[in-house]
């Protein structure tokens, strides 16, 4: 059916099994061109190609997203203590020791880094991922701006030096840009795949047409071809 919850790979694999059955039936000869054997051959080849392109576009997006998460935020499973969030909290600890917790600039710095990981109300739902990471970079830059020209900020830990933190923010911004571009590429590939699966002349439409033809051969839905094709689409043997 249109909008099937099954993954594209599963749908494609099952349709291919059904297609193999059709190729094996010498008396399969519908009048509707879209479900003729040659047309189905071409359709399946195109579906495999589009599905492959979408998968190839998704893999780097997934990898970059994982990398960005480890750069931006602390994850207890990853134990990535050198992420931007953890380093800024370490910088805040240093500032408290150097200036005292009640120092105005120390308070401003802590207020800025509290917004690194955006808060949201229970009823509002999470903000879009891109907005979260864009906000993280923006708030981090605001926090670092408070440290510029401050001679008192001279930590021995190089990982929280101003230059090191600035490089990490720049890395996060670059990842944001790269991910946005890759997401556009994936979206285009995914839309092309979706059109072929569920569009007007797509897989869903052809399956309905094939079943209609098979049921017209006699015996309706009890025809052996109809039964075997239907079973193949459910994941049964071809």
């Amino acid at each position: 059916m249109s909008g099937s919850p099954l993954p594209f790979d599963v749908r494609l694999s099952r349709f291919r099994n059904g297609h193999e059955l059709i190729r094996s039936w010498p008396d399969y000869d519908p009048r509707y061109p879209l479900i003729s054997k040659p047309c189905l051959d071409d359709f399946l080849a195109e579906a495999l190609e589009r599905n492959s392109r979408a998968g190839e576009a998704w893999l780097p997006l997934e990898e970059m997203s994982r990398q960005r998460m480890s750069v931006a935020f602390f994850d207890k499973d990853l134990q990535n203590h050198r992420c931007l969030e953890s380093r800024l909290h370490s910088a805040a600890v240093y500032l408290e020791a150097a200036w005292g917790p009640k120092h105005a600039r120390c308070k401003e710095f802590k207020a800025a880094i509290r917004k690194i990981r955006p808060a949201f109300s229970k009823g509002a739902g999470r903000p879009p991922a891109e907005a979260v990471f864009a906000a993280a970079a923006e708030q981090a830059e605001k926090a670092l701006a408070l440290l510029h020209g401050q001679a008192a900020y001279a930590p021995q830990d190089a990982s929280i030096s101003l230059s090191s933190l600035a490089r990490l923010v720049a890395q996060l911004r670059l990842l944001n840009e790269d991910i946005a571009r890759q997401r556009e590429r994936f979206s285009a590939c995914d839309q092309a795949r979706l059109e072929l699966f569920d569009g007007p002349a797509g897989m869903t439409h052809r399956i309905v047409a094939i079943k209609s033809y098979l049921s017209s051969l006699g015996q309706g839905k009890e025809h052996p071809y109809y039964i075997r094709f239907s079973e193949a689409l459910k994941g049964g043997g071809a």
Side-chain angles (χ1 to χ4, degrees):
M1 63 165 54
S2 180
S4 171
L6 292 174
F8 287 109
D9 287 344
V10 173
R11 295 176 65 188
L12 186 55
S13 176
R14 293 181 180 182
F15 183 80
R16 181 162 48 182
N17 288 341
H19 174 256
E20 287 300 317
L21 283 173
I22 288 172
R23 286 171 57 91
S24 71
W25 295 330
D27 53 343
Y28 177 90
D29 188 25
R31 293 183 179 180
Y32 187 30
L34 279 183
I35 60 171
S36 67
K37 286 184 178 181
C39 196
L40 288 177
D41 289 345
D42 293 341
F43 174 80
L44 181 59
E46 180 63 18
L48 288 167
E49 176 62 25
R50 291 195 192 185
N51 191 58
S52 177
R53 283 200 297 265
E56 289 170 359
W58 171 255
L59 289 176
L61 178 60
E62 191 175 37
E63 177 57 33
M64 285 189 288
S65 296
R66 280 198 297 266
Q67 182 185 357
R68 179 173 65 173
M69 186 66 187
S70 67
V71 166
F73 301 125
F74 177 73
D75 185 299
K76 63 181 180 180
D77 294 326
L78 296 176
Q79 290 294 304
N80 53 327
H81 294 284
R82 295 178 67 80
C83 69
L84 180 61
E85 183 181 32
S86 293
R87 292 194 200 190
L88 287 172
H89 281 292
S90 295
V93 172
Y94 174 84
L95 288 176
E96 285 188 341
W99 293 343
K102 295 184 179 181
H103 190 282
R105 186 144 303 202
C106 185
K107 288 183 177 180
E108 287 182 74
F109 185 86
K110 291 174 69 177
I113 67 172
R114 274 197 295 270
K115 297 177 182 177
I116 291 294
R117 191 188 288 260
F120 51 93
S121 63
K122 290 183 179 179
R126 291 184 178 272
E130 296 312 306
V132 169
F133 289 101
E138 182 179 349
Q139 290 302 321
E141 286 185 338
K142 288 181 179 179
L144 296 187
L146 297 169
L147 304 180
H148 284 292
Q150 300 297 315
Y153 187 76
Q156 291 185 343
D157 183 355
S159 70
I160 61 170
S161 69
L162 193 54
S163 60
S164 179
L165 291 172
R167 284 194 296 271
L168 204 56
V169 173
Q171 183 182 0
L172 176 56
R173 282 207 177 277
L174 184 61
L175 281 167
N176 284 346
E177 294 169 2
D178 289 345
I179 286 172
R181 284 192 291 268
Q182 187 62 31
R183 192 176 298 281
E184 286 182 3
R185 284 194 285 269
F186 169 71
S187 294
C189 292
D190 191 44
Q191 184 58 42
R193 173 174 63 178
L194 186 62
E195 180 182 348
L196 205 64
F197 276 65
D198 294 322
M203 182 185 295
T204 299
H205 171 78
R206 293 175 196 238
I207 287 173
V208 172
I210 291 169
K211 285 185 172 182
S212 177
Y213 166 70
L214 295 178
S215 67
S216 73
L217 297 178
Q219 299 178 267
K221 294 182 180 180
E222 298 303 315
H223 191 285
Y225 286 2
Y226 186 98
I227 293 172
R228 293 185 65 193
F229 183 75
S230 298
E231 285 300 315
L233 295 181
K234 293 177 183 177

